[in-house]
């Protein structure tokens, strides 16, 4: 199993280091994996002038899976658009054909108090958001900002294009139906079919695809209602599937339900389950270099990698159980800390997970 490791910027190197330690321990125990590190994002711009340099492209293409920290930071925000770290991220997603983004949102009972919602509202939350990642208004052409004469005077005019083909919709729907099949067999498809033709097609294709999965119950919600339902009664959801832009927004909303964005892993898959695995959060420049970032989202991303790309369900469960154990034992990084628990930094949280994995006391 070839794994390409891209620590990225900000807290990326700190949190990825802990996930790599977890993979190394599993390698010592059972896992046959080869890890190779590369540059992506701002660190790559600094070293090569490109956010997704050729050497990284080769590494990522040859690997079976990629583990990424996060990219970006204020020092690169004024660069030309093509050189921005985020371009590297879009570039790797597009080049690897990663069209399916899977984000579980699970409320660990120990962290119920860290959610901004009342504990009784978030209790039992265990959902998976499946977001289409390579289409929609984020990639649609034409796009741009140009000066046009409007009402007799020149004005700046901006435009983007939202589009989906039925094939693009069907393949993401199939990923979502298949995921629902492995869970509670409920799939909610989110669109805005009352206003947008693109999502009318989305709903039609969802209904057509449902015929292939008679054992999964399909429902539909308009995106505005879905945003409300996520804060009103989030545990009603099992799997939620939606397009790129709605998914971007709803998955961050779901992230907050769980208390900390530092707890949320993600997977982005191609048609053959090759995947890029990364935490849902960004590079957190405000806390970078201080050793306080929560590494659990990245460690849980490594677990998703073992599950989805390498079909190593046991190893994935071992990591997830170790994370549950450290939470039950009271270990907390600052973002999830509550009085009465034990505040630890990034490295000590990694140590606790390793100890739980190997059964060795620190
Ligand atoms: P962010 O997710 O980096 O940070 C938001 C808040 O959450 C900050 O207060 C941060 O300290 C906190 N936080 C995030 N991850 C944490 C962790 N593991 N442990 C503890 N606290 C954590 O979002 P932002 O501030 O909007 O963006 C910062 C930079 O990250 C920007 O340059 C942005 O472009 C980039 N970004 C990258 C990705 C990615 O690489 N996938 C995603 C989002 C944002």
């Amino acid at each position: 199993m070839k794994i390409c490791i891209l620590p990225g910027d900000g807290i990326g190197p700190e949190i990825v280091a802990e996930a790599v330690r977890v993979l190394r321990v599993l390698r010592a125990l059972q896992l046959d994996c080869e890890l190779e590190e590369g540059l992506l994002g701002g660190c790559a711009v600094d070293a090569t002038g490109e956010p997704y340099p050729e050497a990284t492209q080769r590494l990522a293409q040859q690997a079976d899976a990629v583990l990424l920290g996060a990219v970006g930071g204020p020092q690169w925000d004024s660069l030309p658009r093509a050189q921005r770290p985020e371009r590297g991220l879009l570039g790797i997603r597009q080049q690897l054909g990663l069209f399916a983004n899977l984000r579980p949102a699970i409320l660990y009972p120990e962290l119920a108090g860290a959610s901004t919602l009342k504990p009784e509202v978030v209790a039992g939350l265990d959902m998976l958001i499946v977001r289409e990642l390579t289409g929609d208004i984020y990639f649609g052409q034409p796009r741009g900002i140009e000066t046009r004469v409007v009402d007799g005077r020149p004005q700046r005019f901006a435009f983007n294009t939202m589009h989906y083909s039925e094939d693009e919709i069907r393949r993401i729907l199939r990923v979502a139906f298949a995921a629902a099949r492995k869970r509670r067999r409920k799939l909610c498809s989110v669109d805005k079919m009352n206003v947008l033709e693109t999502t009318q097609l989305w709903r039609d294709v969802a209904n057509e695809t449902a015929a292939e999965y008679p054992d999964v119950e399909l429902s539909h919600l308009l995106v505005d209602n879905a945003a409300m339902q996520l804060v009103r009664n989030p545990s009603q959801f099992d799997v939620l599937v939606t397009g790129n832009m709605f998914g971007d927004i709803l998955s961050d909303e779901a992230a907050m339900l769980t208390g900390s964005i530092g707890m949320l892993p993600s997977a982005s898959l191609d048609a053959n389950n090759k995947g890029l695995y990364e935490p849902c959060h960004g590079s957190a420049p405000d806390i970078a270099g201080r050793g306080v970032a929560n590494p659990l989202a990245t460690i849980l991303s490594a677990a998703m990698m073992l599950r989805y790309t390498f079909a190593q369900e046991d190893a994935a469960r071992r990591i997830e159980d170790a994370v549950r154990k450290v939470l039950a034992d009271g270990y907390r990084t600052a973002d999830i800390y509550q009085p009465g628990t034990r505040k630890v930094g990034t490295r000590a949280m990694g140590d606790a997970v390793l100890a739980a994995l190997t059964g060795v006391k620190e």
Side-chain angles (χ1 to χ4, degrees):
M1 302 190 288
K2 271 196 179 163
I3 304 172
C4 166
I5 306 284
L6 303 175
D9 308 315
I11 59 170
E14 299 165 53
I15 52 180
V16 166
E18 300 311 314
V20 165
R21 287 169 79 207
V22 165
L23 288 173
R24 292 221 164 100
V25 161
L26 287 176
R27 183 168 64 184
L29 294 177
Q30 67 186 94
L31 209 66
D32 181 17
C33 66
E34 213 178 282
L35 311 179
E36 229 180 309
E37 205 167 293
L39 296 173
L40 183 82
C43 59
V45 173
D46 289 348
T48 70
E50 300 285 333
Y52 184 33
E54 286 243 351
T56 308
Q57 294 186 27
R58 264 199 310 279
L59 212 58
Q61 283 174 312
Q62 284 162 8
D64 301 304
V66 179
L67 182 67
L68 168 68
V71 302
Q75 62 269 53
W76 298 288
D77 280 351
S78 52
L79 287 175
R81 208 160 273 281
Q83 275 187 325
R84 298 235 187 114
E86 296 73 17
R87 281 281 139 172
L89 201 56
L90 296 180
I92 191 170
R93 283 177 182 164
Q94 226 171 8
Q95 187 183 62
L96 298 183
L98 306 172
F99 67 91
N101 183 231
L102 276 57
R103 290 198 192 189
I106 297 172
L107 186 85
Y108 294 91
E110 296 84 3
L111 301 184
S115 171
T116 43
L117 296 190
K118 294 181 196 132
E120 65 268 26
V121 175
V122 276
L125 173 71
D126 178 0
M127 68 179 293
L128 178 71
I129 295 196
V130 179
R131 165 188 169 193
E132 202 288 329
L133 210 54
T134 53
D136 208 348
I137 197 162
Y138 289 0
F139 294 98
Q141 295 289 347
R143 62 190 297 157
I145 303 177
E146 55 190 42
T147 300
R148 294 180 183 177
V149 177
V150 182
D151 294 335
R153 63 189 174 83
Q155 280 190 42
R156 280 169 300 165
F157 186 90
F159 52 99
N160 293 91
T161 306
M162 180 182 240
H163 60 65
Y164 267 122
S165 70
E166 64 177 301
D167 282 358
E168 282 177 304
I169 300 170
R170 198 169 289 110
R171 69 178 181 175
I172 189 73
L173 258 301
R174 283 184 175 143
V175 170
F177 272 109
R181 222 171 220 180
K182 291 187 187 148
R183 295 171 48 99
R184 301 193 300 278
R185 294 172 188 258
K186 280 173 61 183
L187 177 63
C188 177
S189 171
V190 172
D191 60 44
K192 187 73 181 169
M193 58 79 81
N194 52 344
V195 181
L196 299 169
E197 285 79 1
T198 316
T199 70
Q200 174 65 62
L201 180 64
W202 181 283
R203 185 171 292 208
D204 294 345
V205 174
N207 284 329
E208 290 157 24
T209 311
E212 299 169 28
Y213 302 86
D215 52 329
V216 176
E217 179 196 324
L218 174 69
S219 61
H220 302 277
L221 275 183
L222 296 176
V223 63
D224 40 348
N225 191 9
M228 267 190 329
Q229 295 301 327
L230 271 175
V231 288
R232 195 184 72 83
N233 178 18
S235 52
Q236 70 183 282
F237 294 110
D238 178 17
V239 180
L240 188 154
V241 62
T242 190
N244 201 348
M245 180 165 63
F246 298 160
D248 190 4
I249 298 163
L250 294 181
S251 56
D252 270 17
E253 187 188 356
M256 278 326 293
L257 302 176
T258 65
S260 171
I261 199 157
M263 292 298 302
L264 292 170
S266 80
S268 305
L269 304 176
D270 77 358
N272 304 309
N273 288 335
K274 173 170 178 164
L276 180 135
Y277 298 85
E278 58 181 322
C280 290
H281 57 72
S283 57
D286 53 332
I287 56 168
R290 291 178 22 209
V292 297
N294 186 346
L296 294 180
T298 316
I299 290 172
L300 290 167
S301 300
M304 287 187 87
M305 175 167 77
L306 297 175
R307 170 172 297 123
Y308 289 104
T309 292
F310 299 121
Q312 298 269 342
E313 182 62 29
D314 285 353
R317 286 254 167 96
R318 278 188 76 164
I319 297 177
E320 289 161 354
D321 288 348
V323 168
R324 281 178 205 279
K325 178 162 184 346
V326 300
L327 292 175
D329 288 348
Y331 293 93
R332 302 284 188 276
T333 41
D335 55 312
I336 51 174
Y337 174 75
Q338 284 181 306
T341 60
R342 184 171 165 188
K343 196 190 269 188
V344 292
T346 312
R347 177 45 61 109
M349 185 57 105
D351 287 344
V353 173
L354 292 186
L357 258 181
T358 54
V360 176
K361 277 240 173 285
E362 289 160 84

